[in-house]
């Protein structure tokens, strides 16, 4: 969901992280900055600095947990019924 206003602080970092896989253009758009990539990058950098996050690129916001979740679910092995263990 696109933010109707420009996000700041932790909200900006959360939104940017959620959209980081789609690239900086989409992240800026979703965070309410439209095509203003420069302002988005400056605000994100400032927000990360305030939160004590050492991030130089948007892709660094993607965590290992995010990567595991997108790798796929794989094959699920489970009993046919709850009584069959």
């Amino acid at each position: 969901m696109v933010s109707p206003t420009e996000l700041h602080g932790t909200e900006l970092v959360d939104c940017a992280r959620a959209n980081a896989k789609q690239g900086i253009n989409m992240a800026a758009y979703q965070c309410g900055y439209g095509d203003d990539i420069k302002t988005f990058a400056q605000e994100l950098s400032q927000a990360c600095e305030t939160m004590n996050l050492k991030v130089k690129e948007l892709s660094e916001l993607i965590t290992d947990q995010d990567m595991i979740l997108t790798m796929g679910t794989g094959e699920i092995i489970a009993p046919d019924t709850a009584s069959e263990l």
Side-chain angles (χ1 to χ4, degrees), residues 24-65:
I24 194 165
N25 291 330
M26 180 58 74
Y29 176 74
Q30 293 287 3
C31 294
Y33 289 84
D35 293 332
D36 192 358
I37 305 299
K38 183 178 178 183
T39 303
F40 168 73
Q42 290 172 341
E43 289 293 325
L44 181 59
S45 177
Q46 183 178 3
C48 287
E49 188 176 314
T50 301
M51 294 175 65
N52 229 10
L53 296 173
K54 307 230 184 294
V55 177
K56 293 181 182 178
E57 295 181 13
L58 181 65
S59 62
E60 292 177 7
L61 289 175
I62 302 171
T63 64
D64 291 339
Q65 184 178 9

Side-chain angles (χ1 to χ4, degrees), residues 72-79:
T73 57
E75 187 174 340
I76 298 173
I77 301 173

Side-chain angles (χ1 to χ4, degrees), residues 5-13 31 33 43 47:
T5 61
E6 293 179 352
L7 298 177
H8 301 280
T10 56
E11 290 177 335
L12 174 59
V13 174
C31 294
Y33 289 84
E43 289 293 325

